[in-house]
Amino acid sequence: MPFSTFKEGPAHLGAPMDQENETALMMGYQDERYHHQRHSGGTQTRVDVMMRPERDPISGDPSPGGDPDEDKGPRKEKVSGLFFFVTSWILFLQGISGMSGLAVSYFYKNTLMAQPATLTLVESMTSLPWTIKPLYGFLSDGWPIMGYRRRPYLIIGGVVGFASWVLMATVVNDIWFGATMMFLSSMGLAVSNVIAEGMIVEKSRGESQEFASHLQAVVHGAQAVGGIIAAYFGGLVLGYLSDRHVFLLVSFLPLSLIVVAMISPERRFAGDLTSVRQDMGAKLRELWETFQQPMIFKPAMFVFLLNATPATGSTWFYFYTNVLHFSSTLLGTINVVGAIFSLGGVVLFGKYLSSMPYRPILIWSTIISTLFGLSQLALVFGLNRQMGIPDAFFCLGESAILSVLGWINTMPILVLAARLCPEGMEATMYALIMSVVNLGGVVGAQFGAGITWGLGITEDNLDNFWILVLICNVSTVLPLLLIGWIPDDDKDYGAEVDKIKKQKQQAEPFTGEGIASGR
């Protein structure tokens, strides 16, 4: 993340943006046109929105054809309790999976003897599966297993997650073997997330804003609850269990996806897979051509650069445990405070800032976040203790403040991403934009790991840690030099792209006819 809340301070410990931004949906914050989009760091990844024929969200059956634009009004469709359970449980698992975060840090530090730069590198690699989520949607659409598009992929995700954590608990004794297992576990979770989000997008299509807001608030609220539980118990359980025992405990969570898959009333796909796959190729080309439009490409690149600034990453964990001697329980408490105050940032934005232009919010929230981030230097040099402020209270307060500021900075990005999506490819364009954003976070972590290594920072030598903190915070404001790439109004740029595409389509038949007739 480009803000101190997510990469510099103690509020979070390296979760990808797609996982951290889920709490925004608890508030039901929705854009008027794209009420079915997720306004969170997570991505709308199912490509069903841009596929024809459309399908029922759970059964996978083709529904009657027709242009969604021909709908005369919301459908008032009833949502079953089974739908809520399936989608809510999948996203709850995504939230509570963070319970292993502290255990992973302690495992790499104490058991595998990994240095700060190495741990930062490993954690960024485990975020990579969240940068290619649109591909999972295409895969499940075009390559059903035994005739099913959802059940087998949920089962695969559950089995992969279970096996990965069991191996972490019993076999892994090598840094890169462990990184591979964490990568596979993250991928299994990302695949199941794609299935759930696709169901939500499809169920919201054509419905009222009130309907979609309620649906998303309930489903994603389950993930926010899981995240808060994980933040608290992730530190608490380490007081009673070893890190490997925590891995074993967490391994049973993905197995529940098998049960979820079995109770989902999906029917076999009976359509023409050849035509579906051909349509995929055409839609991919259309998606890439649309993304290259300057009014979409420039804002996406700005947010990428904002995320790609260097991050301190896991080095804070070494500072907390080796220098400040924080316990796992205290680290968990700091995470809980960050998670709770993140909701405060969402509420503040939704109530007072939602109608403001993007540029001022991004400029001032980034600058203020950077200034508060620089206060971390007081913690590094012990100045807070000279002022009579204990380290624990300083970190708790910093976590609260930076979490609020970070979300105020995050929300305009999420809203802008949704408003950049042209009609007919809302979900996939949103997924592509947010994948670019997540990729920026990975690049930022890699830069941070390189700087950490270059400064000679190790577990036993944190003398230059203050330089890393300074570089990472100051570099955050550099992308603001390109703030002109962000729209200066609240215009629906997705609709503008639609106009350009329609004009191009109208011009093509005339041009072709002229050529054919020799005119």
Side-chain angles (χ1 to χ4, degrees), residues 288-304:
W288 175 242
E289 291 174 359
T290 304
F291 180 76
Q292 294 180 80
Q293 292 288 337
M295 62 184 65
I296 294 179
F297 180 78
K298 286 185 176 181
M301 287 301 99
F302 173 84
V303 178
F304 170 83

Side-chain angles (χ1 to χ4, degrees), residues 6-28:
F6 297 112
K7 73 174 184 180
E8 311 296 351
H12 300 280
L13 295 175
M17 184 176 182
D18 191 71
Q19 291 173 293
E20 289 177 341
N21 287 349
E22 300 297 337
T23 52
L25 275 302
M26 282 191 68
M27 313 314 300

